[in-house]
Amino acid sequence: MRILFLCLLTLADTRGQVAQTRFVEEPEDQTVVAGQRIVLSCVVLNYSGIVQWTKDGLALGMGQGLKAWPRYRIVGTADSGQYNLEITDAELSDDAVYECQATEAALRSRRAKLTVLIPPEDPTIDGAPEILLRAGTPYNLTCRARSAKPAATIVWYRDGLQQDGAITSTEVLADGKRETTTSQLAINPTDLDIGRVFSCRSTNDAIPAGKETFVKLNVHHPPTVTLSIQPQTVQEGERVVFTCMATANPEIKGYRWAKGGVIIEDAKENKYDTQVDYTFFTEPVSCEVHNDIGSTNVSTLVDVHFAPRIVVDPKPTVTDIGSDVTLTCVWSGNPPLTLTWTKKESNMVLSNSNQLYLKSVTQADAGQYVCKAIVPRIGVGEREVTLFVNGPPIISSEAVQYAVRGDRGKVECFIGSTPPPDRIAWAWKENILEAGTLERYTVERTNTGSGVLSTLTINNVMDADFQTRYNCTAWNSFGPGTAIIQLEEKEVLPVGIIAGATIGASILVISFLVALACFLYRRRKGSRKDVTLRKLDIKVETVNREPLTLHTDREEDTASVSTATRVMKAIYSSFKDDVDLKQDLRCDTIDPREEYELKDPTNGYYNVRAHEDRPSSRTVLYADYRNPGPARYDTRPPSRLSHSSGYAQLNTYSRGPASDYNPETAPGPGPPPSTAGGETASQLSYENYGGHAAFPAGAGYATYRLGYGQPPSLERAPYDTYDPMGKYASATRFSYTSQHSDYGQRFQQRMQTHV
């Protein structure tokens, strides 16, 4: 019983001691970066025995200093029960499970996991610091972050901008704790990537800021070419300059030019100057630039404006009646052209496309068609094509033909349709002839480019031949065709008349040329007179006198009226026609002061010579109508013309037989007031055509009196031609007067010339 009590007492003492010993602090899971210091806590209360640490179940030893583990030591005091484990310069080997044990008290702390973090090594990029790439060839940029715990994360950047799409992989090292991370970024380099910088940055928990490395790209590429034209739009025949701008890495080795695939041997530089034509619109000009990497070829067309040019010529087409036909015509032009199809000699547009479609054609559709192309403001082109429509013969000869009596005549029958006729026959009266000769008739057949011509020749054409109808009939595989032709007589002018007309026309032309030459010679000769008087040295005055009255039984000289005007105008404008002079002289009724305001273009040359003696003027006077009555024609309106000209001529006047006229006794002409007393005048009077059949007496037709003065020494018959170019040449004046005219009162004027 005593022994049992002692045992119970001992057990009670032991339970009291154990209850008093316990862990106040136990180690916890911690993380440390390699190289750093770490402390694992262990505090035991009411314990004075041995305390030790285990690492992954392996005891580290006892005491404050752990000689086997130089970087390990127990820190704290035993009195306070602190047995903390301190680890300096943590290493990967320190990565383990730790436990604090109070061996005498048989106490163990909970296990604590110490994790050691290892930053990755400096990342590396394959090929850094500069990678030589080739443009257009894909490439993977590779970045590696080695020996990291945990595995590193890699991020790519291009010129500072984060790039996505990289492929990442990890590899666990032999220790089973560290890993190597590899990242690949796919790129497709171009010439724009020359000098571009890529970087990769690796991070993990040990180094959140990460580590970064860089690589520079050097991209080799064949030349990059830009081809330009100046000017961009040209006319055919103008010059243009092609410029080939290129960049390359490495440098450019040379240029090569071609047109339409054909090498241009003379072009070796980066510019090509040439004259363009229409081919430059369809055949491109190319520039090829090469270096050590390769070559680049760029081509371009020229916007050259040119007139239409045929590309596909229309071809003649032969078809049968009722068939469908398509005619094709292709043009090229720039700017875009307008195309029209028309039938020749017709303005109706049949089509505006390259093809003309004709449905169910007839023989009327046969003929020539025109395919016309128009390029606005540039030019026009056209082609003709013939459509042949097979059918019965069509005869296109004239229905009426002509021949000369007694001569050889021809009657023609032309067949222009297709197919050509197999047989042609002429029929007239009772005769039929296809070829050869029958009496006076001969038939000949001729093949022309446009058809067949059958000619019926008639020798010694007679009256009966003009009364005969000639039947021309032609046959081919499609049937017959007939035409009726009438022969009519042709009037022929005698050869003598034709020859005479030709000779007469030649004489008139020669006479005109001679007269023109004389006129020019006299004018040139007159302009060479040695006159030095100035315009201001001449003074022309006109003085009005009392009016004169014209009587029916006599005609006074009208030379005194507007004398200065007539002389001046005759001198200044001798070469003008009569119409202009008539209009000038109708101003007699106007105030003479206005009439005489003329400028002297000869500077007084002719006015000075006006004092010389002049021969008498020849006068032609047309009297008023003497026998008023019912007129067959309208009477001449009241008018008067006085015309003075230094070059007037009086031609010979013919007179009809005495039986055709009924002349009245004409008053004898007296000397005009303006002529000298010794001068005489001859006068010819034409009375009304009283006895002529066409002009019965009393019809009221005007009487014409012709008078012309000449010197007394010049004897001429009344009807002889007066020579105006002789010694006595002078002015001729025509005067028309009427009893109803307002010109009965005239003014006599005097011209005074002062030098």
Side-chain angles (χ1 to χ4, degrees):
M1 188 66 157
R2 184 177 180 181
I3 295 172
L4 180 60
F5 177 75
L6 289 174
C7 289
L8 292 174
L9 181 63
T10 304
L11 181 60
D13 291 342
T14 303
R15 288 183 178 178
Q17 185 179 0
V18 172
Q20 294 177 355
T21 303
R22 55 185 175 87
F23 288 102
V24 178
E25 292 185 12
E26 297 184 62
E28 296 179 355
D29 295 341
Q30 294 189 53
T31 301
V32 63
V33 177
Q36 295 180 357
R37 171 179 171 274
I38 187 67
V39 176
L40 298 176
S41 299
C42 181
V43 178
V44 183
L45 182 63
N46 300 322
Y47 181 73
S48 59
I50 298 173
V51 176
Q52 67 176 4
W53 285 86
T54 62
K55 176 182 177 182
D56 290 335
L58 178 63
L60 297 179
M62 294 180 295
Q64 292 290 330
L66 303 176
K67 297 180 180 180
W69 308 90
R71 297 180 294 106
Y72 293 2
R73 72 188 183 95
I74 303 298
V75 295
T77 61
D79 296 339
S80 60
Q82 294 181 351
Y83 300 94
N84 298 331
L85 177 63
E86 179 186 57
I87 304 174
T88 59
D89 297 330
E91 295 179 355
L92 181 61
S93 59
D94 301 330
D95 189 273
V97 176
Y98 293 87
E99 185 181 42
C100 179
Q101 297 178 353
T103 57
E104 294 181 1
L107 293 177
R108 293 183 177 182
S109 67
R110 63 172 174 267
R111 295 181 178 184
K113 178 70 171 83
L114 178 62
T115 302
V116 179
L117 302 179
I118 300 176
E121 298 177 3
D122 292 339
T124 60
I125 298 177
D126 295 349
E130 183 174 295
I131 302 176
L132 179 60
L133 304 177
R134 183 166 183 171
T137 302
Y139 183 81
N140 291 327
L141 292 176
T142 303
C143 179
R144 290 182 173 87
R146 295 179 173 88
S147 304
K149 183 177 179 297
T153 300
I154 297 177
V155 179
W156 285 96
Y157 296 89
R158 185 185 73 173
D159 294 337
L161 298 177
Q162 183 174 338
Q163 302 295 300
D164 297 328
I167 299 175
T168 302
S169 62
T170 60
E171 179 184 0
V172 179
L173 300 184
D175 56 22
K177 295 183 179 181
R178 293 176 298 167
E179 296 178 279
T180 296
T181 303
T182 301
S183 178
Q184 291 184 333
L185 178 65
I187 62 172
N188 189 10
T190 66
D191 55 338
L192 300 178
D193 292 325
I194 297 176
R196 194 177 299 281
V197 176
F198 283 81
S199 65
C200 76
R201 179 181 298 171
S202 62
T203 61
N204 69 354
D205 295 340
I207 181 170
K211 296 180 179 180
E212 191 171 11
T213 188
F214 302 89
V215 66
K216 184 177 181 180
L217 302 186
N218 182 13
V219 182
H220 279 187
H221 63 92
T224 301
V225 182
T226 301
L227 183 58
S228 62
I229 308 174
Q230 187 62 34
Q232 296 182 352
T233 301
V234 295
Q235 299 289 337
E236 186 174 20
E238 295 181 350
R239 303 192 70 85
V240 298
V241 177
F242 298 87
T243 303
C244 196
M245 301 298 296
T247 59
N249 184 26
E251 64 182 3
I252 296 172
K253 295 297 183 179
Y255 298 84
R256 186 169 64 175
W257 293 87
K259 174 180 175 289
V262 179
I263 301 299
I264 304 173
E265 299 295 341
D266 297 337
K268 301 293 184 182
E269 303 299 328
N270 69 325
K271 289 189 177 182
Y272 173 47
D273 187 345
T274 186
Q275 186 179 31
V276 299
D277 57 16
Y278 71 97
T279 60
F280 284 77
F281 185 71
T282 55
E283 298 179 6
V285 174
S286 62
C287 171
E288 182 179 275
V289 187
H290 62 90
N291 64 357
D292 293 337
I293 302 301
S295 62
T296 302
N297 190 306
V298 178
S299 62
T300 184
L301 292 171
V302 183
D303 185 18
V304 53
H305 290 183
F306 60 95
R309 303 189 69 88
I310 192 68
V311 176
V312 177
D313 249 324
K315 297 180 180 180
T317 303
V318 180
T319 188
D320 294 337
I321 291 178
S323 301
D324 297 340
V325 177
T326 300
L327 303 178
T328 302
C329 175
V330 179
W331 293 86
S332 66
N334 189 40
L337 53 80
T338 300
L339 191 139
T340 60
W341 280 95
T342 59
K343 193 170 184 180
K344 194 172 183 180
E345 299 179 357
S346 173
N347 294 327
M348 180 181 294
V349 176
L350 305 177
S351 174
N352 291 111
S353 65
N354 292 331
Q355 293 183 332
L356 172 62
Y357 178 72
L358 301 176
K359 185 177 181 180
S360 300
V361 296
T362 64
Q363 284 184 290
D365 296 322
Q368 289 184 315
Y369 290 82
V370 179
C371 173
K372 179 182 291 186
I374 303 174
V375 175
R377 301 182 301 277
I378 301 296
V380 179
E382 65 178 38
R383 287 290 189 275
E384 294 183 359
V385 61
T386 304
L387 174 63
F388 300 95
V389 179
N390 292 330
I394 298 178
I395 301 174
S396 56
S397 297
E398 296 292 337
V400 177
Q401 301 183 25
Y402 298 89
V404 178
R405 187 193 308 270
D407 201 351
R408 174 179 293 183
K410 291 184 178 181
V411 184
E412 295 180 342
C413 180
F414 179 77
I415 300 94
S417 57
T418 56
D422 302 323
R423 176 188 171 197
I424 302 176
W426 288 90
W428 69 100
K429 296 182 179 178
E430 303 298 330
N431 303 315
I432 298 177
L433 184 62
E434 294 187 13
T437 302
L438 177 63
E439 297 178 351
R440 295 185 298 114
Y441 304 93
T442 301
V443 174
E444 296 177 344
R445 173 171 174 167
T446 304
N447 292 324
T448 65
S450 56
V452 178
L453 177 64
S454 180
T455 304
L456 174 64
T457 303
I458 306 174
N459 293 321
N460 190 18
V461 177
M462 301 179 179
D463 289 339
D465 296 326
F466 298 116
Q467 307 299 326
T468 303
R469 294 181 179 273
Y470 299 90
N471 183 311
C472 175
T473 303
W475 292 265
N476 64 10
S477 58
F478 288 84
T482 301
I484 304 299
I485 302 174
Q486 177 72 38
L487 188 65
E488 293 189 0
E489 185 174 1
K490 181 179 180 181
E491 298 293 340
V492 179
L493 291 176
V495 177
I497 295 178
I498 298 175
T502 303
I503 295 174
S506 301
I507 293 175
L508 288 177
V509 172
I510 294 173
S511 301
F512 173 75
L513 295 177
V514 171
L516 181 62
C518 293
F519 169 73
L520 295 176
Y521 173 76
R522 289 174 60 93
R523 185 179 181 189
R524 182 178 180 184
K525 182 178 179 181
S527 65
R528 294 183 177 179
K529 297 296 183 178
D530 187 15
V531 178
T532 58
L533 292 179
R534 294 180 299 127
K535 184 176 181 179
L536 296 179
D537 295 332
I538 307 300
K539 182 177 181 181
V540 179
E541 296 181 357
T542 59
V543 180
N544 295 335
R545 290 186 178 180
E546 66 281 359
L548 299 178
T549 304
L550 296 178
H551 302 281
T552 58
D553 58 346
R554 66 182 180 88
E555 292 184 11
E556 297 182 1
D557 183 14
T558 59
S560 61
V561 179
S562 302
T563 303
T565 303
R566 293 184 176 87
V567 172
M568 295 295 288
K569 291 188 176 181
I571 294 174
Y572 301 157
S573 306
S574 60
F575 56 89
K576 291 187 176 181
D577 54 23
D578 291 344
V579 176
D580 293 336
L581 292 176
K582 291 176 183 178
Q583 294 175 353
D584 292 338
L585 296 177
R586 287 174 183 171
C587 65
D588 289 343
T589 59
I590 305 174
D591 190 346
R593 289 175 297 180
E594 298 179 0
E595 181 181 6
Y596 303 142
E597 291 179 359
L598 302 173
K599 295 184 179 180
D600 184 7
T602 64
N603 288 331
Y605 172 71
Y606 291 102
N607 287 346
V608 173
R609 296 176 56 89
H611 295 285
E612 298 178 4
D613 293 336
R614 297 180 178 270
S616 61
S617 62
R618 289 170 290 134
T619 304
V620 181
L621 299 177
Y622 295 88
D624 298 329
Y625 297 104
R626 291 194 175 187
N627 298 321
R632 182 177 180 181
Y633 303 99
D634 293 340
T635 60
R636 180 186 299 273
S639 63
R640 177 178 47 82
L641 171 65
S642 179
H643 177 197
S644 298
S645 174
Y647 300 94
Q649 296 187 28
L650 183 62
N651 295 330
T652 302
Y653 292 86
S654 61
R655 183 169 183 171
S659 61
D660 296 339
Y661 301 92
N662 184 18
E664 296 179 359
T665 304
S674 60
T675 60
E679 296 176 348
T680 62
S682 299
Q683 186 171 4
L684 178 64
S685 177
Y686 293 89
E687 302 296 343
N688 294 336
Y689 298 102
H692 196 276
F695 302 92
Y701 294 98
T703 299
Y704 296 87
R705 177 175 299 141
L706 172 65
Y708 55 91
Q710 60 186 19
S713 60
L714 184 59
E715 297 295 337
R716 294 181 181 271
Y719 302 101
D720 290 343
T721 302
Y722 184 78
D723 183 7
M725 304 304 294
K727 177 179 179 181
Y728 298 99
S730 62
T732 301
R733 182 179 74 255
F734 297 90
S735 178
Y736 298 87
T737 60
S738 173
Q739 61 184 358
H740 304 291
S741 173
D742 294 336
Y743 304 134
Q745 301 295 329
R746 301 179 59 103
F747 294 93
Q748 182 178 2
Q749 300 171 344
R750 179 186 63 191
M751 180 182 70
Q752 297 179 359
T753 303
H754 303 275
V755 180

